[in-house]
Amino acid sequence: MTLMGEIEASIPALRRYAWSLLRDTDDADDLVQDCLVRALDRVAADPAVAAVRPWLFTIMHNLFVSRWRTKRKRRVTMPDEATDNAEVPIGPEQDDALIRRDLLAGLDRLTEDQRQVLLLVSVEGLEYREVASILEVPVGTVMSRLSRARDNLHAYMDGTKRPILRRVK
Amino acid sequence: MTDPIRPVQEDDLHAYADGRLDPVRRGDVEAHLQANPALRHRVEGWREQSEALCEALAFKLREPVPSSLHLGHLQEQRAVRHRQSLFSSPWRVAAALVLTLGLGVGTGWIARGSQRMGEVTRLGLEAAAAHSVFAVDPTRPIEIGPENRTELVAWIDRKLHRSVNVPDLSAQGYRLIGGRVLATIIGPAAMLVYDDGQGGRITLFLQPMRSDVAPMQPVSSGTANGYAWIDGHMGYGVIADGDGSIHGLANSLRRAMLSKS
């Protein structure tokens, strides 16, 4: 696959991660657009990119930190908006929709560091060392954040009385 | 089973839950979890959680990507920005003149300022942008292939309102693989894609122009390089990737197009 093809193929995942961080479709797509424009600028200057996906997530993470984080903070201080998440389409199964709502609310209650690690590992499927490089922390830090994120989210889901384990498929 | 030198650590449990262990280590961890039901429950919970998170966010993958995020669209915007930055100083001069001379006189200057870029420069940048977007696409660089050459030529002629020659570059080692019609801010254009059989591609960009003739100018945008010129109210841009000079090719192409028109 060409470099452009690989970038193109990563756009849905970038949109998913951006939305998970910002919880707003328009804001998320603006962040993705910033990220892609920056990526195209870099490619024009130097087309030698080794691993496209971690590289794109690094650009996105840096943009998020430098420009977008404040938006997210504003949003999360409004508690009900985060929990009610009108943007998430309600699926045919009410149980699934409730679990999804709880999961997203649980994600909101993690620290930002934990949330990022959990999403990059569990959802985006990036290697631990790739996540470490994206977030510019040692791998050991990634692993300890991952432990805390997983256990905290699990505890939250237990508390909602809708633990994932009891889910009926 | 458990390796006494490498006891199972928390990191191994995550790597196990994420399916990232080699078979030997996975066996170690499985044995360890068999002996520790509480731990096994915890790790299974992580696995379920990852699946549930993926499901909860899967709707973003199913959504169509908005056109504002299409790479072709963003490449075009980059080309426009690049163009504007190239000519930002005349714009600043024009803006200063607006302040000095007043709005009535000033608007005329702005209109002229925007034309200063020159038709050939704009043509070259359009050609380079089209090349960057389409020529490198391995699957669909073209709309119509050489097997439908007549249809391709008819389509281009119709859109450009001109009879266009599709040059034969086999003497230069390039084979036509097809072409497409493109939209630009000043109207329709056509692009023909040629392949050297080793993955090297050059594109010929064609667009009717207001000017009758303009000398050949080098074009460079990102990794795309080439030449642009105008002959007989037709603008030409020939673009390749990388540093290899195609000046000779551009010259022979220009001669060939002149002799046919």
Side-chain angles (χ1 to χ4, degrees):
Chain A
M1 203 187 267
T2 61
L3 177 56
M4 285 301 159
E6 277 190 69
I7 295 175
E8 190 105 56
S10 304
I11 294 174
L14 290 171
R15 292 186 72 230
R16 173 174 61 183
Y17 183 58
W19 186 86
S20 309
L21 293 177
L22 294 163
R23 296 297 170 77
D24 178 277
T25 301
D26 293 337
D27 284 353
D29 283 345
D30 283 352
L31 174 57
V32 174
Q33 190 175 30
D34 276 3
C35 171
L36 292 172
V37 167
R38 187 69 56 100
L40 291 175
D41 284 346
R42 301 248 180 106
V43 169
D46 177 14
V49 179
V52 170
R53 254 167 68 82
W55 172 72
L56 287 170
F57 277 96
T58 303
I59 295 174
M60 179 122 106
H61 174 76
N62 291 337
L63 285 168
F64 174 73
V65 169
S66 61
R67 292 197 228 159
W68 290 83
R69 191 183 258 160
T70 46
K71 284 202 174 207
R72 155 99 200 168
K73 276 189 182 138
R74 263 205 317 273
R75 205 174 300 284
V76 172
T77 47
M78 298 181 275
D80 285 342
E81 199 191 10
T83 325
D84 284 346
N85 241 307
E87 288 219 353
V88 181
I90 301 295
E93 287 207 29
Q94 195 65 13
D95 263 5
D96 274 1
L98 291 175
I99 288 166
R100 182 158 53 194
R101 201 192 65 176
D102 289 345
L103 265 173
L104 294 175
L107 265 182
D108 268 347
R109 277 157 183 80
L110 300 178
T111 67
E112 191 171 277
D113 290 343
Q114 291 172 16
R115 183 165 47 243
Q116 286 170 351
V117 167
L118 185 61
L119 289 167
L120 291 172
V121 170
S122 287
V123 179
E124 303 307 334
L126 291 160
E127 302 289 339
Y128 304 136
R129 55 175 176 77
E130 289 172 342
V131 176
S133 153
I134 290 167
L135 303 177
E136 291 182 76
V137 296
V139 175
T141 306
V142 168
M143 300 316 289
S144 60
R145 285 179 188 172
L146 188 59
S147 271
R148 284 197 297 274
R150 284 179 161 163
D151 289 341
N152 287 347
L153 184 57
H154 189 83
Y156 176 81
M157 292 304 283
D158 262 350
T160 63
K161 309 285 182 228
R162 270 192 292 271
I164 303 163
L165 277 171
R166 265 184 242 152
R167 192 162 53 115
V168 182
K169 281 226 174 179
Chain B
M1 285 291 281
T2 309
D3 186 345
I5 303 164
R6 282 208 306 152
V8 173
Q9 306 272 346
E10 180 102 349
D11 292 6
D12 294 313
L13 299 179
H14 287 290
Y16 176 79
D18 293 325
R20 295 175 193 185
L21 287 180
D22 61 73
V24 175
R25 194 64 180 152
R26 193 163 64 229
D28 291 349
V29 174
E30 261 159 18
H32 184 72
L33 292 179
Q34 283 300 328
N36 297 277
L39 201 56
R40 197 179 70 210
H41 180 75
R42 180 171 170 232
V43 172
E44 277 170 4
W46 292 346
R47 209 173 233 176
E48 303 250 1
Q49 187 187 76
S50 292
E51 279 173 28
L53 278 171
C54 287
E55 271 178 45
L57 294 168
F59 75 98
K60 288 305 285 184
L61 295 186
R62 290 192 294 265
E63 275 179 8
V65 172
S67 63
S68 61
L69 299 181
H70 290 172
L71 285 187
H73 184 86
L74 294 172
Q75 293 266 42
E76 270 168 44
Q77 285 181 340
R78 274 193 82 243
V80 170
R81 267 207 333 266
H82 182 69
R83 226 177 280 160
Q84 283 168 348
S85 68
L86 279 178
F87 294 92
S88 59
S89 46
W91 272 100
R92 259 179 241 131
V93 172
L97 280 163
V98 173
L99 292 174
T100 323
L101 303 174
L103 208 66
V105 188
T107 42
W109 275 93
I110 289 183
R112 241 164 280 161
S114 67
Q115 284 168 15
R116 277 187 205 182
M117 175 162 49
E119 278 185 290
V120 182
T121 306
R122 188 204 57 78
L123 174 74
L125 289 169
E126 292 277 16
H131 179 93
S132 303
V133 174
F134 292 110
V136 294
D137 189 327
T139 54
R140 205 169 164 79
I142 48 146
E143 277 295 328
I144 300 182
E147 67 281 4
N148 297 313
R149 191 189 177 103
T150 319
E151 187 193 340
L152 174 65
V153 172
W155 184 35
I156 292 175
D157 286 358
R158 199 166 63 245
K159 284 290 178 188
L160 267 52
H161 305 290
R162 288 279 295 267
S163 174
V164 169
N165 294 313
V166 175
D168 181 0
L169 298 179
S170 50
Q172 284 83 13
Y174 287 96
R175 184 179 60 91
L176 178 72
I177 61 166
R180 60 167 73 230
V181 170
L182 298 161
T184 77
I185 46 173
I186 67 151
M191 185 178 78
L192 299 167
V193 184
Y194 295 81
D195 195 296
D196 67 0
Q198 285 145 29
R201 283 185 180 159
I202 60 164
T203 55
L204 176 62
F205 187 90
L206 299 156
Q207 183 164 43
M209 306 296 282
R210 201 181 309 160
S211 300
D212 180 7
V213 59
M216 196 176 267
Q217 267 188 29
V219 181
S220 178
S221 173
T223 59
N225 292 293
Y227 294 88
W229 68 93
I230 303 173
D231 275 326
H233 294 285
M234 180 62 92
Y236 299 89
V238 55
I239 307 289
D241 278 307
D243 306 319
S245 174
I246 52 166
H247 202 179
L249 179 76
N251 277 328
S252 53
L253 197 56
R254 184 173 197 183
R255 278 194 298 274
M257 299 307 269
L258 266 178
S259 67
K260 277 187 199 166
S261 59

